[in-house]
Amino acid sequence: MSWTDLLEFDRKNIWHPYTSLKRPLPVYPVESAAGVRIKLADGRELIDGMSSWWCAVHGYNHPVLNNAVKSQLDRTAHVMFGGLTHEPAINLARLLTDLVPRGLEKVFFCDSGSVSVEVALKMAIQYWQVLGKPGKTKFLSLEKGYHGDTFGAMSVCDPVTGMHSLFSGFLRKNFFAPSPECGFDEPCRDVHLREIMSILEQHGAEIAAFILEPIVQGAGGMKFYSPEYLGKIRQLCDEHEVLLIADEIATGFGRTGKLFACEHAGVTPDIICLGKALTGGYLSLAATICNEKTAGTICGAFPGVFMHGPTFMGNPLACSVALASTELLISGNWMEKVKSIEDQLTKELAPCGSIAAVRDVRILGAIGVLEMDRNLDVAAAQSLFREMGVWIRPFLNLIYIMPPYIIDSADLSRLTTAMKAVAENISS
Ligand SMILES: *Cc1c(COP(=O)(O)O)cnc(C)c1O
């Protein structure tokens, strides 16, 4: 079939993320991808600024990761995890528990980030059930937060951007505190926490856990907040007997300059969710890791088990490539690379602050954001970026990049130049 026919079928029959089947946004056919370059079917090559939504930290078609998949494929692609186990899952769990904040040591593998959030929420509810506090079944989270698209996860996403009104008859009503107002470099004052304190004081007895994205609120607005704020949330959770769930699905594996964003604040949550870059972008895998207190309590009394068990739990192919990707990351100089990306982004994006339509420029680790004063026409911006040979996909009023860590400075400059050009184009 020709690409024209294939794309016609795609347009009519295949849902893409958050789009219409009647008026779908354009999609570009990909032929292959290697390193930081995505090759389109028309032969054009685009420099990747997105890491396929935070995932491909080592770039595409990496020989080490390819090998991990191939050699596991010759052993077995999959076996059920009920009653069976295997080295890829065990070795991955051992490595992850060494890397995440100390005390997080009980690992639940599942298939996607959203499911790992569901798992974390269920753990929190079971925890309080066992402790004889069955009233603690609600969650506290932050406005502008994003935790996934399944119902439990959706119920803790920002109510406006998460379109809670659409599902209001079905969705659980949880508690929301305002998005943190103290920026990354700013101190956190009591006024920033007033609302949270009042929710915890009034409703602590109904709240099982506080779930948040540490330091970087991703898909809900690409906002960065003060580590001090996170530290104070940990204290408040302890004072009010509320578990703390850190959703590190986007921030994990070095993206913010620390291996996990919780480290900026020296905070250890009770439960952490990992996904996205876990497999270097090869396969869908996520992990929910909790501490002994949480796991021990859940398993301490009726029903004595944790009630979840996906079919593809601990998939060996996914675990093998996750192990290879994580080993590759920590054995390399990721910290220097992320730091040098951060320095270059700062140098090259800071001047965008003087462009009329740019409201704010934010950089943290290997993340660069231009917040515009208006929403972008995604199709038009995407097309401009393609003309400039880069793959950047804006959303709402945000032009942002989080490139693979392997990007060199010349390619990174092409990304920042394109961001600047599109920002200027919008202003004119
Ligand atoms: C992407 C994301 C999720 C959802 O992960 P999926 O794999 O898409 O289900 C949850 N939380 C955060 C912070 C994310 O960035």
Side-chain angles (χ1 to χ4, degrees), residues 367-411:
I367 310 168
V369 185
L370 301 183
E371 183 181 320
M372 310 299 292
D373 64 3
R374 67 202 80 170
N375 285 355
L376 281 92
D377 173 340
V378 174
Q382 206 175 264
S383 164
L384 277 172
F385 281 126
R386 183 179 66 164
E387 291 312 309
M388 286 182 274
V390 300
W391 176 238
I392 296 175
R393 188 175 157 86
F395 78 92
L396 302 174
N397 63 334
L398 301 165
I399 304 175
Y400 68 107
I401 56 170
M402 55 270 194
Y405 304 162
I406 58 158
I407 196 165
D408 67 25
S409 70
D411 285 343

Side-chain angles (χ1 to χ4, degrees), residues 112-114 117 146-148 213 247 249-250 276:
S112 76
S114 301
V117 168
Y146 177 76
H147 298 287
E213 296 153 278
D247 177 350
I249 291 165
K276 291 202 162 111

Side-chain angles (χ1 to χ4, degrees), residues 52-209:
S52 286
W53 280 339
W54 314 87
C55 295
V57 291
H58 305 297
Y60 302 88
N61 215 339
H62 195 290
V64 173
L65 306 189
N66 288 6
N67 259 331
V69 177
K70 285 177 187 164
S71 61
Q72 181 58 40
L73 192 56
D74 288 334
R75 272 177 230 130
T76 177
H78 184 65
V79 289
M80 62 190 279
F81 214 48
L84 299 173
T85 194
H86 44 78
E87 277 188 330
I90 297 168
N91 289 334
L92 177 61
R94 283 171 52 129
L95 180 59
L96 291 177
T97 51
D98 279 349
L99 298 177
V100 292
R102 228 185 153 73
L104 296 168
E105 50 190 27
K106 312 295 178 187
V107 184
F108 190 100
F109 286 120
C110 57
D111 12 34
S112 76
S114 301
V115 176
S116 79
V117 168
E118 299 291 333
V119 165
L121 302 181
K122 280 170 84 169
M123 281 180 176
I125 288 176
Q126 272 198 248
Y127 175 86
W128 292 112
Q129 289 274 338
V130 168
L131 291 181
K133 300 199 169 159
K136 283 168 94 70
T137 57
K138 292 194 172 186
F139 294 91
L140 174 55
S141 63
L142 297 175
E143 287 172 3
K144 295 195 188 297
Y146 177 76
H147 298 287
D149 290 349
T150 51
F151 275 105
M154 238 193 330
S155 78
V156 290
C157 288
D158 182 271
V160 179
T161 56
M163 293 207 198
H164 283 200
S165 54
L166 262 182
F167 306 99
S168 59
F170 190 84
L171 218 53
R172 194 88 172 87
K173 290 255 181 304
N174 288 311
F175 298 104
F176 293 91
S179 178
E181 276 163 36
C182 36
F184 184 78
D185 293 317
E186 292 165 16
C188 168
R189 302 185 207 289
D190 284 350
V191 22
H192 297 129
L193 294 162
R194 198 177 290 153
E195 189 99 5
I196 290 176
M197 284 160 77
S198 113
I199 294 172
L200 286 171
E201 270 153 31
Q202 284 176 54
H203 301 285
E206 302 159 61
I207 297 174

